[in-house]
């Protein structure tokens, strides 16, 4: 799900010697670029050595209602990894990211944002979205992880993915304990933020993804972003009716709880 730790997960998987993820997000199966054809899609993995596990992280794939069927049509034996997060904090993170990206003014109230942009709440209905994946794929091909677990024990979280993919679980990525990757923040200078994003995307599309990773490992982007982050005072945090949002997500979270065998309604504070 969008804003659920996929950038951090990508960074950890990118380093694994048995895995090849040349581009983080291609959004092939969920957007009009699907019309480019599967050959166009596979060309993104041409640089991957034979025998490596190839993949990508496109957050639009979970929210899209056509993606699961399209993936199954071309790659029925693929493995699907879904990361979900407390839907209320996920929505708040999307809100913060919209401000960071200059999509909405900083003065826009959170309630106004999720009222006018339906995806903010709908993207938190995980059981509803995962249903199409369970319809097209065997449950053994789907790994659903909870974002909050990655904060409690990042190594165990990544090892679950390594085991699921059938690669060496003893490998420890250097980015494992880097908590600065794609965090929600409000930049002092949005133009600078956009330029950094566009530059990294340009490098990735030019096949220089390794350079993006090296720069990230150097800590320079994190340093620039810390300098360009506006301090948020406690009273500036968005106000909203938490009980109403909990009620909105409760039934879906209960369905997902049954699928995963854990009480996410309680874990996420969505109970009555």
């Amino acid at each position: 799900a969008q804003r659920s730790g996929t950038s951090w997960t990508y960074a950890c998987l990118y380093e694994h010697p048995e895995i090849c993820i040349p581009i983080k997000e291609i959004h092939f199966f969920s957007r009009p670029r699907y019309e480019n054809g599967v050959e166009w899609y596979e060309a993104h993995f041409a640089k991957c050595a034979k025998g490596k596990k190839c993949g990508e992280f496109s957050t639009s794939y979970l929210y899209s209602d056509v993606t699961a069927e399209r993936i199954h049509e071309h790659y029925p034996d693929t493995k699907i990894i879904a990361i979900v997060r407390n839907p209320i904090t996920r929505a708040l993170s999307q809100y913060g990211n919209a401000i960071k990206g200059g999509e909405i003014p900083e003065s826009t109230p959170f309630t106004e944002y999720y009222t006018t942009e339906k995806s903010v709440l709908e993207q938190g209905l995980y059981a509803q979205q995962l249903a199409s994946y369970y319809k097209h794929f065997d449950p053994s091909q789907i790994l659903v992880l909870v974002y909050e677990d990655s904060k409690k024990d990042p190594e165990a979280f990544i090892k679950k993915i390594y085991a699921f993919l059938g690669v060496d679980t003893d490998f420890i990525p250097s980015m494992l304990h880097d908590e600065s990757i794609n965090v929600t923040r409000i930049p002092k200078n949005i133009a600078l933020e956009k330029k950094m994003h566009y530059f990294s995307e340009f490098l990735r599309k030019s096949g220089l993804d390794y350079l993006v990773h090296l720069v990230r490992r150097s800590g320079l982007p994190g340093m620039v972003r810390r300098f360009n982050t506006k301090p948020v005072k406690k009273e500036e945090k968005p106000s909203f009716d938490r009980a109403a949002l909990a009620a909105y997500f409760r039934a879906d979270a209960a369905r997902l709880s049954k699928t995963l065998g854990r009480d996410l309604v309680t874990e996420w504070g969505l109970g009555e």
Side-chain angles (χ1 to χ4, degrees):
Q2 184 189 46
R3 310 305 302 166
S4 297
T6 50
S7 293
W8 172 80
T9 306
Y10 162 75
C12 290
L13 267 65
Y14 180 93
E15 289 188 50
H16 199 291
E18 297 174 63
I19 297 173
C20 181
I21 313 177
I23 295 180
K24 177 175 175 275
E25 298 183 80
I26 304 177
H27 298 289
F28 172 68
F29 296 100
S30 56
R31 295 182 179 172
R33 60 187 61 176
Y34 182 69
E35 297 173 6
N36 292 339
V38 72
E39 293 80 9
W40 178 88
Y41 179 69
E42 292 186 354
H44 290 79
F45 305 97
K47 65 187 292 184
C48 296
K50 186 177 181 180
K52 285 198 174 188
K53 306 287 185 179
C54 302
E56 52 129 338
F57 285 76
S58 291
T59 55
S60 61
Y61 290 172
L62 184 59
Y63 186 47
S64 164
D65 58 2
V66 297
T67 295
E69 183 176 3
R70 287 176 173 178
I71 293 176
H72 186 268
E73 178 184 349
H74 298 286
Y75 308 104
D77 298 323
T78 197
K79 292 191 174 185
I80 305 295
I81 301 169
I83 304 176
V84 298
R85 177 183 186 178
N86 180 317
I88 295 179
T89 56
R90 194 221 65 80
L92 282 164
S93 184
Q94 183 176 339
Y95 168 67
N97 200 51
I99 294 175
K100 180 178 77 172
E103 297 173 27
I104 58 174
E106 189 179 336
S107 59
T108 304
F110 176 52
T111 51
E112 178 183 323
Y113 179 59
Y114 73 67
T115 300
T116 57
E117 177 51 67
K118 67 175 186 176
S119 73
V120 181
L121 298 189
E122 288 183 353
Q123 287 194 78
L125 299 175
Y126 309 124
Q128 177 181 306
Q129 295 160 24
L130 285 166
S132 62
Y133 283 91
Y134 284 110
K135 175 182 177 182
H136 292 94
F137 295 93
D138 187 88
S140 64
Q141 293 176 253
I142 304 172
L143 176 66
V144 181
L145 298 170
V146 178
Y147 166 80
E148 287 78 11
D149 291 342
S150 71
K151 312 307 285 184
K152 298 172 186 174
D153 191 340
E155 185 173 341
F157 187 88
I158 288 299
K159 281 181 178 290
K160 280 186 181 179
I161 300 179
Y162 288 165
F164 177 65
L165 296 178
V167 298
D168 181 13
T169 57
D170 291 328
F171 178 79
I172 304 297
S174 67
M175 306 299 285
L176 185 66
H177 297 289
D178 189 336
E179 298 184 353
S180 66
I181 300 176
N182 211 16
V183 295
T184 300
R185 28 181 291 283
I186 298 177
K188 298 175 183 175
N189 188 316
I190 291 177
L192 174 60
E193 194 73 24
K194 284 185 174 181
K195 286 178 181 177
M196 290 178 65
H197 174 74
Y198 291 147
F199 182 63
S200 64
E201 287 303 301
F202 170 77
L203 291 176
R204 286 194 178 98
K205 290 176 181 178
S206 300
L208 299 174
D209 49 285
Y210 69 92
L211 185 57
V212 176
H213 190 70
L214 287 175
V215 172
R216 177 177 284 171
R217 285 184 62 181
S218 73
L220 180 59
M223 183 177 68
V224 173
R225 287 192 169 100
R226 283 192 295 274
F227 174 77
N228 192 40
T229 296
K230 189 181 296 186
V232 179
K233 296 178 182 178
K234 189 173 182 180
E235 60 268 22
E236 291 178 342
K237 291 182 179 179
S239 60
F240 59 96
D241 187 341
R242 187 178 183 88
L245 290 189
Y248 177 86
F249 292 119
R250 190 175 300 130
D252 185 86
R255 285 175 57 197
L256 184 60
S257 295
K258 290 182 179 180
T259 300
L260 301 186
R262 61 189 289 183
D263 186 3
L264 291 173
V265 173
T266 299
E267 286 184 41
W268 287 341
L270 304 177
E272 296 183 41

